[in-house]
Amino acid sequence: MNLPSPDINTRFSGLSSKLIATIIAVIMLVEIIIYLPSLASFRTTWLEDRLRVGIVAARVLDAVPDVMALPRDLTDRLLLSAGADAIVYRRDGQSQLIELTEPVTPERAVTADLRQRDLPSQIAGALDTLFAGPGRTLRIVGEGDSNESLVELLMPEDPLRRDMLDYSRSIVLVSLGIAAVTAFALYMLVSTLFIDPVLRLTANMLAFRKAPENGALILNPSTRRDEIGILERELAAMESELFALLRQRRHLADLGLAVAKINHDLRNTLTAAQLLSDQVATLDDPKVQRLAPRLVLTLDKAIGFAQSVLDYGRESVLPPQMTPVPLRALVTDAAFEARVTDNPSLVFDNNVAEDFQIYADAGQIGRLLVNLLKNGREALEGLNGDAPDRRITVQAEAKGGEAMISVIDNGPGLPPRARENLFVAFEGSVRSGGTGLGLAIAREIAEAHGGRIALATVEKGTRFDVVLPLGQPGA
């Protein structure tokens, strides 16, 4: 499958732009960390160069006898080479001064002591010089070339500050160049390994979402063995399964529509046949009297089968509309609809308390109860004619925030085949010729309410337990 390659706007947006910005920010942060010691080293070297001139001047002073004075042109050249206003040489408690012809009186002075070699002090001094305003006088203090001698230089700080600013600009330009080249190189590497595959997966998901029935859009995974490769293979497998499920759903929908039409026509035909069988049953012919009940029973089963299939196809897929429901009245209505209360051969016990309420969709829970009560009635009607005390009981109790509704009959119980696929449509029928749709619908309704339905183990008969949340979800 060939997908359109991402355009330039897509490539440099989203993850790409964040990646580039992060790389540049990290590199600039590293450069700043490196820049501060480098700037301090530059300032120290600059000061040491000026101090060396002061040491040379001190040597000259040592070479000249005390009774002689240095020529003015020599002192001026020494001061000019150091860029200083004055040089002070201290040794053995004595001080010697070399200054300009016109002495300069500093208004603001700051001391740079080169005897302090620790990095924090050097960084602090560099930042102080860099961010200080113009017009300060710098006092450079350092050791001379002989024991216990000091050399001091007084000079304007502005030349040092200008040189530091030029050095900083150079560092910034070099740092930006390094950051740009490094960011581009890393981006191309990361883009090839990660960004491009992610963009490919994103484009595939967007395209497949628009047309999931198009098998040509199923992702063709690469042979990568890392997490990206795993993601590609899992996405391709998911899209293949979804494609197959959608095709199956369409086929089932078409088949269901055809079955619904067939069932509708078949039910009408069977209803007409049932009317004819009722008329035939009134004839006096002994053969007719013997065969007519079987014919009527067979037609009833066929009509019931067609009706159950239609009901299952019309089953609502809407979520339940939760309201407080008095359970006892709901059970009474369901028993009447399932033809339990008006059946002279059955005894029905509604043991639900008058004030027992559940929070549920009354219509859907009513259908659930009708299906369970109908199964119980059919099981009891299948007993021998002389079977005593055919009884169906409904009871309810609250347990730990849940309502457990039990539908119990004292019939013959369920056969093993029905227990194996109890809640599977068309497979879990509890009687011969049934569809198993009633219990499948009951399970769907219970699960839609956040509950469950299960077959309980009893010594005799059948008992279904429906467990539902007792109160409003989230309350």
Side-chain angles (χ1 to χ4, degrees):
M1 179 195 62
N2 294 323
L3 293 175
S5 59
D7 57 21
I8 190 67
N9 294 326
T10 302
R11 178 173 294 277
F12 291 99
S13 62
L15 288 177
S16 300
S17 60
K18 294 178 182 178
L19 176 63
I20 295 175
T22 301
I23 293 174
I24 293 177
V26 171
I27 294 176
M28 295 304 297
L29 179 61
V30 173
E31 290 291 343
I32 290 173
I33 296 175
I34 299 175
Y35 164 73
L36 293 177
S38 176
L39 182 66
S41 177
F42 174 84
R43 175 177 177 270
T44 301
T45 302
W46 194 94
L47 295 175
E48 288 176 344
D49 291 340
R50 299 304 182 274
L51 184 64
R52 289 192 188 97
V53 178
I55 294 174
V56 171
R59 290 175 182 174
V60 173
L61 290 175
D62 279 340
V64 177
D66 294 340
V67 297
M68 294 180 61
L70 289 175
R72 173 56 58 184
D73 58 343
L74 177 59
T75 59
D76 289 343
R77 285 199 301 270
L78 289 173
L79 293 173
L80 181 62
S81 62
D85 297 330
I87 298 176
V88 180
Y89 178 55
R90 304 180 189 277
R91 186 183 64 174
D92 298 332
Q94 296 180 356
S95 300
Q96 291 179 282
L97 173 65
I98 301 176
E99 62 180 346
L100 295 174
T101 305
E102 297 180 0
V104 177
T105 302
E107 297 180 358
R108 293 185 301 151
V110 61
T111 299
D113 193 343
L114 294 180
R115 294 171 297 178
Q116 295 181 351
R117 293 291 181 173
D118 59 293
L119 185 60
S121 298
Q122 292 179 354
I123 292 176
L127 294 177
D128 179 64
T129 300
L130 189 64
F131 294 105
R136 290 200 312 183
T137 298
L138 184 62
R139 176 174 171 261
I140 306 173
V141 180
E143 295 178 352
D145 55 354
S146 61
N147 295 333
E148 299 182 359
S149 63
L150 291 178
V151 178
E152 298 181 12
L153 276 75
L154 294 177
M155 59 179 297
E157 191 183 30
D158 292 342
L160 173 60
R161 184 169 180 270
R162 285 194 301 269
D163 289 347
M164 290 178 65
L165 289 173
D166 293 338
Y167 177 79
S168 299
R169 280 191 289 268
S170 300
I171 290 293
V172 169
L173 293 177
V174 172
S175 299
L176 289 176
I178 294 175
V181 173
T182 306
F184 178 77
L186 289 177
Y187 171 76
M188 295 305 297
L189 176 63
V190 175
S191 177
T192 302
L193 294 178
F194 302 107
I195 300 298
D196 286 348
V198 169
L199 291 176
R200 175 171 174 259
L201 292 173
T202 302
N204 174 263
M205 286 188 288
L206 293 175
F208 188 80
R209 178 179 178 271
K210 294 179 180 179
E213 300 88 358
N214 186 355
L217 295 177
I218 296 176
L219 180 70
N220 183 20
S222 65
T223 58
R224 295 177 58 159
R225 309 302 299 176
D226 55 8
E227 289 79 1
I228 295 292
I230 295 174
L231 178 60
E232 289 177 343
R233 289 187 290 275
E234 292 299 322
L235 178 61
M238 183 184 67
E239 290 177 346
S240 299
E241 293 175 0
L242 182 59
F243 173 75
L245 287 175
L246 289 175
R247 291 192 64 182
Q248 184 183 36
R249 186 185 68 174
R250 185 170 64 249
H251 292 171
L252 290 177
D254 295 340
L255 180 61
L257 181 61
V259 170
K261 293 180 179 179
I262 294 172
N263 269 285
H264 184 271
D265 296 338
L266 180 61
R267 187 185 61 174
N268 293 337
T269 303
L270 292 174
T271 301
Q274 186 181 38
L275 294 175
L276 293 175
S277 65
D278 291 340
Q279 295 179 4
V280 170
T282 59
L283 299 177
D284 294 334
D285 190 325
K287 281 188 176 182
V288 172
Q289 292 294 325
R290 187 174 69 253
L291 297 176
R294 297 183 181 179
L295 177 61
V296 172
L297 180 60
T298 302
L299 290 174
D300 285 341
K301 288 182 178 181
I303 294 174
F305 182 88
Q307 185 62 45
S308 63
V309 172
L310 290 175
D311 291 341
Y312 184 73
R314 290 195 298 263
E315 183 66 25
S316 174
V317 296
L318 296 176
Q321 303 298 316
M322 303 293 197
T323 57
V325 178
L327 184 58
R328 182 178 177 86
L330 188 64
V331 171
T332 300
D333 294 340
F336 177 80
E337 185 175 348
R339 292 187 297 167
V340 172
T341 53
D342 60 348
N343 195 320
S345 63
L346 303 178
V347 177
F348 175 66
D349 294 330
N350 187 350
N351 294 336
V352 180
E354 291 285 352
D355 58 347
F356 196 94
Q357 283 192 342
I358 59 174
Y359 198 83
D361 187 310
Q364 294 188 17
I365 296 300
R367 287 197 298 276
L368 181 151
L369 293 172
V370 167
N371 288 329
L372 295 181
L373 291 170
K374 183 179 177 182
N375 286 342
R377 173 180 61 80
E378 291 174 348
L380 293 175
E381 289 177 345
L383 296 175
N384 296 329
D386 56 351
D389 192 21
R390 305 180 187 185
R391 185 178 298 273
I392 297 178
T393 304
V394 178
Q395 61 189 29
E397 59 180 333
K399 287 185 177 181
E402 294 180 326
M404 187 173 73
I405 308 169
S406 300
V407 180
I408 309 166
D409 68 72
N410 59 351
L414 298 181
R417 177 183 175 277
R419 293 175 181 269
E420 294 175 359
N421 302 288
L422 191 58
F423 300 102
V424 180
F426 301 105
E427 295 185 19
S429 175
V430 299
R431 60 185 177 86
S432 177
T435 62
L437 295 177
L439 292 179
I441 294 174
R443 183 197 63 181
E444 291 181 355
I445 292 175
E447 292 177 350
H449 282 73
R452 58 191 181 278
I453 182 172
L455 175 67
T457 302
V458 292
E459 295 182 359
K460 181 181 179 181
T462 306
R463 171 176 170 172
F464 286 98
D465 291 332
V466 181
V467 179
L468 301 173
L470 188 60
Q472 181 177 1

